[in-house]
Each structure stands twice: as C-alpha cells, then as structure tokens.
Amino acid sequence: MNVWLRHSKIYASDCADCETKEGRLDRIERDIQFLGPITPEQRSKLLEIADKCPVHRTLTAEISIKTRSV
C-alpha cells in the first residue's frame, strides 16, 4: 500500500461539508494505492480502517493547545 498526502489552505466558504464557514481551513487530501489483487470488500474495509487510525482521528477532532513556559 502507498499513501500520499497533500496539504493546502482553502476558504471555508468553498467547503460545502465543513462546519466552519468563515476564514480559511487546512485541507489534507489523501490518496491510497492498494498493491496486489484485493476484492471490493477488502478495499472498503481497508478504507474504513484508514479513517480510524489515531492520526486521522486526531486531525479530524477538536484540538486544544495549551502552552506553558518552562
């Protein structure tokens, strides 16, 4: 399997399925290439798993950043 990511900034107003409608948003586009023969069911399951990985869940969740001086 190969995975490619592209990062860009988009205007929130250009994103039909985004909750935020003002300002700019980060957009990450992900392409997944499956190597070797797999069934449509396997492809579907692997894409489902990709959306459940810890990095994907972190990036799609609300993020709170706390800064402290040390």
Side-chain angles (χ1 to χ4, degrees), residues 17 21 27-28 37-38 44-45 54 57 68 70:
D17 59 340
K21 295 300 176 193
R27 169 168 281 169
I28 297 173
I38 62 171
S44 178
K45 186 64 176 176
R57 291 191 343 220
R68 64 187 174 118
V70 292

Side-chain angles (χ1 to χ4, degrees), residues 7-41:
H7 174 264
S8 61
K9 292 279 192 179
I10 63 167
Y11 288 101
S13 58
D14 293 336
C15 183
D17 59 340
C18 294
E19 291 180 27
T20 302
K21 295 300 176 193
E22 296 180 10
R24 294 183 63 162
L25 302 170
D26 289 287
R27 169 168 281 169
I28 297 173
E29 296 178 70
R30 176 179 60 185
D31 295 327
I32 301 175
Q33 177 187 38
F34 298 105
L35 304 173
I38 62 171
T39 67
E41 293 80 16

